[in-house]
mmCIF file of all heavy atoms in Angstrom:
data_model
loop_
_atom_site.group_PDB
_atom_site.id
_atom_site.type_symbol
_atom_site.label_atom_id
_atom_site.label_comp_id
_atom_site.label_asym_id
_atom_site.label_seq_id
_atom_site.Cartn_x
_atom_site.Cartn_y
_atom_site.Cartn_z
ATOM 1 N N THR A 280 40.774 -42.895 148.632
ATOM 2 C CA THR A 280 41.806 -43.008 149.650
ATOM 3 C C THR A 280 42.120 -41.636 150.236
ATOM 4 O O THR A 280 41.719 -40.599 149.703
ATOM 5 C CB THR A 280 43.080 -43.643 149.074
ATOM 6 O OG1 THR A 280 43.502 -42.901 147.919
ATOM 7 C CG2 THR A 280 42.840 -45.092 148.683
ATOM 8 N N SER A 281 42.845 -41.627 151.336
ATOM 9 C CA SER A 281 43.060 -40.415 152.126
ATOM 10 C C SER A 281 43.668 -39.287 151.302
ATOM 11 O O SER A 281 44.748 -39.421 150.716
ATOM 12 C CB SER A 281 43.965 -40.742 153.313
ATOM 13 O OG SER A 281 44.071 -39.641 154.183
ATOM 14 N N SER A 282 42.955 -38.171 151.265
ATOM 15 C CA SER A 282 43.370 -37.008 150.480
ATOM 16 C C SER A 282 42.621 -35.785 150.998
ATOM 17 O O SER A 282 41.499 -35.920 151.513
ATOM 18 C CB SER A 282 43.056 -37.229 148.998
ATOM 19 O OG SER A 282 43.343 -36.079 148.235
ATOM 20 N N PHE A 283 43.245 -34.604 150.849
ATOM 21 C CA PHE A 283 42.646 -33.385 151.384
ATOM 22 C C PHE A 283 42.832 -32.227 150.409
ATOM 23 O O PHE A 283 43.843 -32.136 149.717
ATOM 24 C CB PHE A 283 43.277 -33.027 152.737
ATOM 25 C CG PHE A 283 42.946 -34.019 153.812
ATOM 26 C CD1 PHE A 283 43.661 -35.198 153.922
ATOM 27 C CD2 PHE A 283 41.896 -33.800 154.678
ATOM 28 C CE1 PHE A 283 43.349 -36.139 154.885
ATOM 29 C CE2 PHE A 283 41.576 -34.732 155.649
ATOM 30 C CZ PHE A 283 42.296 -35.905 155.760
ATOM 31 N N LEU A 284 41.869 -31.341 150.405
ATOM 32 C CA LEU A 284 41.938 -30.099 149.647
ATOM 33 C C LEU A 284 42.092 -28.961 150.646
ATOM 34 O O LEU A 284 41.215 -28.752 151.491
ATOM 35 C CB LEU A 284 40.672 -29.906 148.813
ATOM 36 C CG LEU A 284 40.550 -28.589 148.038
ATOM 37 C CD1 LEU A 284 41.614 -28.503 146.947
ATOM 38 C CD2 LEU A 284 39.153 -28.449 147.450
ATOM 39 N N ILE A 285 43.210 -28.228 150.560
ATOM 40 C CA ILE A 285 43.444 -27.103 151.455
ATOM 41 C C ILE A 285 43.398 -25.819 150.642
ATOM 42 O O ILE A 285 43.974 -25.747 149.545
ATOM 43 C CB ILE A 285 44.780 -27.261 152.226
ATOM 44 C CG1 ILE A 285 44.924 -26.154 153.268
ATOM 45 C CG2 ILE A 285 45.979 -27.337 151.314
ATOM 46 C CD1 ILE A 285 46.036 -26.412 154.285
ATOM 47 N N GLU A 286 42.682 -24.807 151.173
ATOM 48 C CA GLU A 286 42.408 -23.595 150.405
ATOM 49 C C GLU A 286 42.589 -22.355 151.273
ATOM 50 O O GLU A 286 42.301 -22.362 152.467
ATOM 51 C CB GLU A 286 40.969 -23.619 149.878
ATOM 52 C CG GLU A 286 40.654 -24.828 149.006
ATOM 53 C CD GLU A 286 39.172 -24.964 148.720
ATOM 54 O OE1 GLU A 286 38.447 -25.442 149.628
ATOM 55 O OE2 GLU A 286 38.739 -24.584 147.615
ATOM 56 N N HIS A 287 43.054 -21.286 150.615
ATOM 57 C CA HIS A 287 43.141 -19.978 151.253
ATOM 58 C C HIS A 287 43.332 -18.930 150.163
ATOM 59 O O HIS A 287 44.091 -19.142 149.210
ATOM 60 C CB HIS A 287 44.317 -19.924 152.240
ATOM 61 C CG HIS A 287 44.388 -18.645 153.021
ATOM 62 N ND1 HIS A 287 43.484 -18.331 154.008
ATOM 63 C CD2 HIS A 287 45.256 -17.601 152.946
ATOM 64 C CE1 HIS A 287 43.793 -17.152 154.526
ATOM 65 N NE2 HIS A 287 44.861 -16.676 153.892
ATOM 66 N N ASP A 288 42.644 -17.821 150.296
ATOM 67 C CA ASP A 288 42.751 -16.729 149.320
ATOM 68 C C ASP A 288 42.582 -17.221 147.881
ATOM 69 O O ASP A 288 43.331 -16.840 146.978
ATOM 70 C CB ASP A 288 44.090 -16.010 149.465
ATOM 71 C CG ASP A 288 44.120 -15.070 150.665
ATOM 72 O OD1 ASP A 288 43.044 -14.840 151.270
ATOM 73 O OD2 ASP A 288 45.214 -14.578 151.008
ATOM 74 N N ASN A 289 41.605 -18.097 147.689
ATOM 75 C CA ASN A 289 41.270 -18.620 146.355
ATOM 76 C C ASN A 289 42.400 -19.427 145.725
ATOM 77 O O ASN A 289 42.459 -19.574 144.498
ATOM 78 C CB ASN A 289 40.848 -17.479 145.409
ATOM 79 C CG ASN A 289 39.947 -17.967 144.288
ATOM 80 O OD1 ASN A 289 39.125 -18.858 144.476
ATOM 81 N ND2 ASN A 289 40.102 -17.391 143.109
ATOM 82 N N PHE A 290 43.288 -19.970 146.555
ATOM 83 C CA PHE A 290 44.334 -20.885 146.095
ATOM 84 C C PHE A 290 43.956 -22.271 146.570
ATOM 85 O O PHE A 290 43.625 -22.474 147.743
ATOM 86 C CB PHE A 290 45.697 -20.472 146.646
ATOM 87 C CG PHE A 290 46.862 -21.239 146.071
ATOM 88 C CD1 PHE A 290 47.552 -20.744 144.973
ATOM 89 C CD2 PHE A 290 47.261 -22.448 146.630
ATOM 90 C CE1 PHE A 290 48.631 -21.444 144.450
ATOM 91 C CE2 PHE A 290 48.335 -23.152 146.104
ATOM 92 C CZ PHE A 290 49.024 -22.644 145.010
ATOM 93 N N HIS A 291 44.023 -23.261 145.660
ATOM 94 C CA HIS A 291 43.528 -24.608 145.930
ATOM 95 C C HIS A 291 44.670 -25.615 145.792
ATOM 96 O O HIS A 291 45.217 -25.793 144.691
ATOM 97 C CB HIS A 291 42.412 -24.974 144.958
ATOM 98 C CG HIS A 291 41.406 -23.870 144.756
ATOM 99 N ND1 HIS A 291 40.432 -23.568 145.684
ATOM 100 C CD2 HIS A 291 41.249 -22.987 143.746
ATOM 101 C CE1 HIS A 291 39.708 -22.563 145.247
ATOM 102 N NE2 HIS A 291 40.185 -22.185 144.063
ATOM 103 N N CYS A 292 45.016 -26.270 146.871
ATOM 104 C CA CYS A 292 46.117 -27.232 146.873
ATOM 105 C C CYS A 292 45.585 -28.605 147.283
ATOM 106 O O CYS A 292 44.956 -28.754 148.333
ATOM 107 C CB CYS A 292 47.215 -26.774 147.832
ATOM 108 S SG CYS A 292 48.636 -27.886 147.932
ATOM 109 N N LEU A 293 45.854 -29.601 146.461
ATOM 110 C CA LEU A 293 45.449 -30.976 146.731
ATOM 111 C C LEU A 293 46.584 -31.700 147.430
ATOM 112 O O LEU A 293 47.733 -31.659 146.979
ATOM 113 C CB LEU A 293 45.093 -31.680 145.427
ATOM 114 C CG LEU A 293 44.633 -33.135 145.538
ATOM 115 C CD1 LEU A 293 43.315 -33.239 146.293
ATOM 116 C CD2 LEU A 293 44.502 -33.759 144.140
ATOM 117 N N ILE A 294 46.274 -32.359 148.533
ATOM 118 C CA ILE A 294 47.260 -33.118 149.287
ATOM 119 C C ILE A 294 47.002 -34.605 149.080
ATOM 120 O O ILE A 294 45.984 -35.137 149.518
ATOM 121 C CB ILE A 294 47.195 -32.770 150.784
ATOM 122 C CG1 ILE A 294 47.405 -31.264 150.987
ATOM 123 C CG2 ILE A 294 48.239 -33.567 151.558
ATOM 124 C CD1 ILE A 294 47.093 -30.810 152.389
ATOM 125 N N ASP A 295 47.893 -35.233 148.359
ATOM 126 C CA ASP A 295 47.823 -36.634 147.935
ATOM 127 C C ASP A 295 46.721 -36.835 146.893
ATOM 128 O O ASP A 295 45.722 -36.101 146.859
ATOM 129 C CB ASP A 295 47.680 -37.594 149.108
ATOM 130 C CG ASP A 295 49.004 -37.793 149.843
ATOM 131 O OD1 ASP A 295 50.065 -37.707 149.192
ATOM 132 O OD2 ASP A 295 48.990 -38.038 151.061
ATOM 133 N N CYS A 296 46.955 -37.822 146.028
ATOM 134 C CA CYS A 296 46.092 -37.996 144.851
ATOM 135 C C CYS A 296 45.985 -39.485 144.520
ATOM 136 O O CYS A 296 46.402 -39.933 143.457
ATOM 137 C CB CYS A 296 46.663 -37.196 143.669
ATOM 138 S SG CYS A 296 45.561 -37.059 142.251
ATOM 139 N N GLY A 297 45.434 -40.221 145.462
ATOM 140 C CA GLY A 297 45.335 -41.663 145.305
ATOM 141 C C GLY A 297 44.072 -42.113 144.601
ATOM 142 O O GLY A 297 43.382 -41.338 143.934
ATOM 143 N N SER A 298 43.733 -43.365 144.796
ATOM 144 C CA SER A 298 42.642 -43.997 144.073
ATOM 145 C C SER A 298 41.291 -43.389 144.438
ATOM 146 O O SER A 298 40.929 -43.286 145.613
ATOM 147 C CB SER A 298 42.636 -45.493 144.378
ATOM 148 O OG SER A 298 41.640 -46.153 143.644
ATOM 149 N N GLY A 299 40.542 -42.971 143.428
ATOM 150 C CA GLY A 299 39.222 -42.399 143.620
ATOM 151 C C GLY A 299 39.205 -40.915 143.930
ATOM 152 O O GLY A 299 38.133 -40.305 144.001
ATOM 153 N N VAL A 300 40.373 -40.318 144.108
ATOM 154 C CA VAL A 300 40.440 -38.924 144.549
ATOM 155 C C VAL A 300 39.870 -37.965 143.503
ATOM 156 O O VAL A 300 39.114 -37.039 143.836
ATOM 157 C CB VAL A 300 41.890 -38.547 144.925
ATOM 158 C CG1 VAL A 300 42.041 -37.031 145.083
ATOM 159 C CG2 VAL A 300 42.301 -39.260 146.209
ATOM 160 N N LEU A 301 40.205 -38.170 142.223
ATOM 161 C CA LEU A 301 39.722 -37.222 141.215
ATOM 162 C C LEU A 301 38.203 -37.240 141.115
ATOM 163 O O LEU A 301 37.568 -36.200 140.948
ATOM 164 C CB LEU A 301 40.323 -37.530 139.845
ATOM 165 C CG LEU A 301 41.782 -37.168 139.613
ATOM 166 C CD1 LEU A 301 42.056 -37.069 138.124
ATOM 167 C CD2 LEU A 301 42.190 -35.892 140.304
ATOM 168 N N SER A 302 37.612 -38.413 141.216
ATOM 169 C CA SER A 302 36.159 -38.514 141.163
ATOM 170 C C SER A 302 35.523 -37.766 142.330
ATOM 171 O O SER A 302 34.585 -36.988 142.162
ATOM 172 C CB SER A 302 35.734 -39.978 141.179
ATOM 173 O OG SER A 302 34.336 -40.105 141.216
ATOM 174 N N SER A 303 36.058 -37.973 143.537
ATOM 175 C CA SER A 303 35.518 -37.307 144.714
ATOM 176 C C SER A 303 35.767 -35.806 144.679
ATOM 177 O O SER A 303 34.890 -35.001 145.018
ATOM 178 C CB SER A 303 36.142 -37.911 145.975
ATOM 179 O OG SER A 303 35.661 -37.284 147.140
ATOM 180 N N LEU A 304 36.955 -35.407 144.254
ATOM 181 C CA LEU A 304 37.330 -33.993 144.255
ATOM 182 C C LEU A 304 36.366 -33.146 143.431
ATOM 183 O O LEU A 304 36.055 -32.001 143.795
ATOM 184 C CB LEU A 304 38.753 -33.839 143.730
ATOM 185 C CG LEU A 304 39.287 -32.408 143.589
ATOM 186 C CD1 LEU A 304 39.328 -31.699 144.930
ATOM 187 C CD2 LEU A 304 40.667 -32.423 142.933
ATOM 188 N N GLN A 305 35.871 -33.710 142.334
ATOM 189 C CA GLN A 305 35.023 -32.922 141.439
ATOM 190 C C GLN A 305 33.671 -32.556 142.055
ATOM 191 O O GLN A 305 32.938 -31.730 141.512
ATOM 192 C CB GLN A 305 34.844 -33.671 140.123
ATOM 193 C CG GLN A 305 36.121 -33.702 139.295
ATOM 194 C CD GLN A 305 35.995 -34.573 138.073
ATOM 195 O OE1 GLN A 305 35.519 -34.139 137.028
ATOM 196 N NE2 GLN A 305 36.412 -35.822 138.191
ATOM 197 N N ASN A 306 33.343 -33.145 143.204
ATOM 198 C CA ASN A 306 32.169 -32.700 143.945
ATOM 199 C C ASN A 306 32.391 -31.347 144.609
ATOM 200 O O ASN A 306 31.431 -30.685 145.019
ATOM 201 C CB ASN A 306 31.803 -33.724 145.028
ATOM 202 C CG ASN A 306 31.277 -35.019 144.441
ATOM 203 O OD1 ASN A 306 30.348 -35.015 143.649
ATOM 204 N ND2 ASN A 306 31.881 -36.130 144.841
ATOM 205 N N TYR A 307 33.655 -30.939 144.718
ATOM 206 C CA TYR A 307 33.984 -29.733 145.473
ATOM 207 C C TYR A 307 34.783 -28.704 144.666
ATOM 208 O O TYR A 307 34.766 -27.523 145.012
ATOM 209 C CB TYR A 307 34.789 -30.114 146.736
ATOM 210 C CG TYR A 307 34.144 -31.259 147.466
ATOM 211 C CD1 TYR A 307 34.654 -32.549 147.371
ATOM 212 C CD2 TYR A 307 32.981 -31.053 148.207
ATOM 213 C CE1 TYR A 307 34.039 -33.612 148.011
ATOM 214 C CE2 TYR A 307 32.357 -32.110 148.848
ATOM 215 C CZ TYR A 307 32.890 -33.389 148.747
ATOM 216 O OH TYR A 307 32.257 -34.428 149.364
ATOM 217 N N LEU A 308 35.452 -29.163 143.598
ATOM 218 C CA LEU A 308 36.294 -28.248 142.832
ATOM 219 C C LEU A 308 36.513 -28.811 141.432
ATOM 220 O O LEU A 308 36.855 -29.989 141.288
ATOM 221 C CB LEU A 308 37.659 -28.097 143.529
ATOM 222 C CG LEU A 308 38.623 -27.078 142.926
ATOM 223 C CD1 LEU A 308 38.191 -25.655 143.286
ATOM 224 C CD2 LEU A 308 40.047 -27.343 143.413
ATOM 225 N N PRO A 309 36.320 -27.988 140.384
ATOM 226 C CA PRO A 309 36.671 -28.442 139.040
ATOM 227 C C PRO A 309 38.172 -28.737 138.967
ATOM 228 O O PRO A 309 38.986 -28.004 139.558
ATOM 229 C CB PRO A 309 36.296 -27.253 138.147
ATOM 230 C CG PRO A 309 35.331 -26.442 138.946
ATOM 231 C CD PRO A 309 35.730 -26.625 140.376
ATOM 232 N N LEU A 310 38.545 -29.764 138.243
ATOM 233 C CA LEU A 310 39.943 -30.172 138.208
ATOM 234 C C LEU A 310 40.855 -29.063 137.705
ATOM 235 O O LEU A 310 41.999 -28.931 138.160
ATOM 236 C CB LEU A 310 40.110 -31.419 137.334
ATOM 237 C CG LEU A 310 39.368 -32.674 137.797
ATOM 238 C CD1 LEU A 310 39.702 -33.855 136.889
ATOM 239 C CD2 LEU A 310 39.685 -32.999 139.245
ATOM 240 N N GLU A 311 40.369 -28.241 136.778
ATOM 241 C CA GLU A 311 41.212 -27.184 136.222
ATOM 242 C C GLU A 311 41.474 -26.062 137.226
ATOM 243 O O GLU A 311 42.330 -25.194 136.980
ATOM 244 C CB GLU A 311 40.587 -26.605 134.950
ATOM 245 C CG GLU A 311 39.246 -25.945 135.119
ATOM 246 C CD GLU A 311 38.077 -26.901 134.949
ATOM 247 O OE1 GLU A 311 38.291 -28.137 135.043
ATOM 248 O OE2 GLU A 311 36.954 -26.403 134.718
ATOM 249 N N LYS A 312 40.779 -26.091 138.365
ATOM 250 C CA LYS A 312 40.985 -25.060 139.384
ATOM 251 C C LYS A 312 42.091 -25.425 140.376
ATOM 252 O O LYS A 312 42.456 -24.612 141.235
ATOM 253 C CB LYS A 312 39.693 -24.799 140.150
ATOM 254 C CG LYS A 312 38.558 -24.210 139.306
ATOM 255 C CD LYS A 312 38.864 -22.794 138.878
ATOM 256 C CE LYS A 312 37.658 -22.155 138.187
ATOM 257 N NZ LYS A 312 37.949 -20.767 137.757
#
Side-chain angles (χ1 to χ4, degrees):
T280 54
S281 187
S282 175
F283 293 82
L284 176 66
I285 186 167
E286 302 169 282
H287 185 71
D288 283 350
N289 205 36
F290 188 93
H291 316 284
C292 180
L293 181 65
I294 303 169
D295 283 329
C296 191
S298 183
V300 167
L301 286 200
S302 176
S303 179
L304 177 62
Q305 290 173 85
N306 291 307
Y307 313 103
L308 185 76
L310 298 184
E311 62 270 18
K312 295 291 187 180

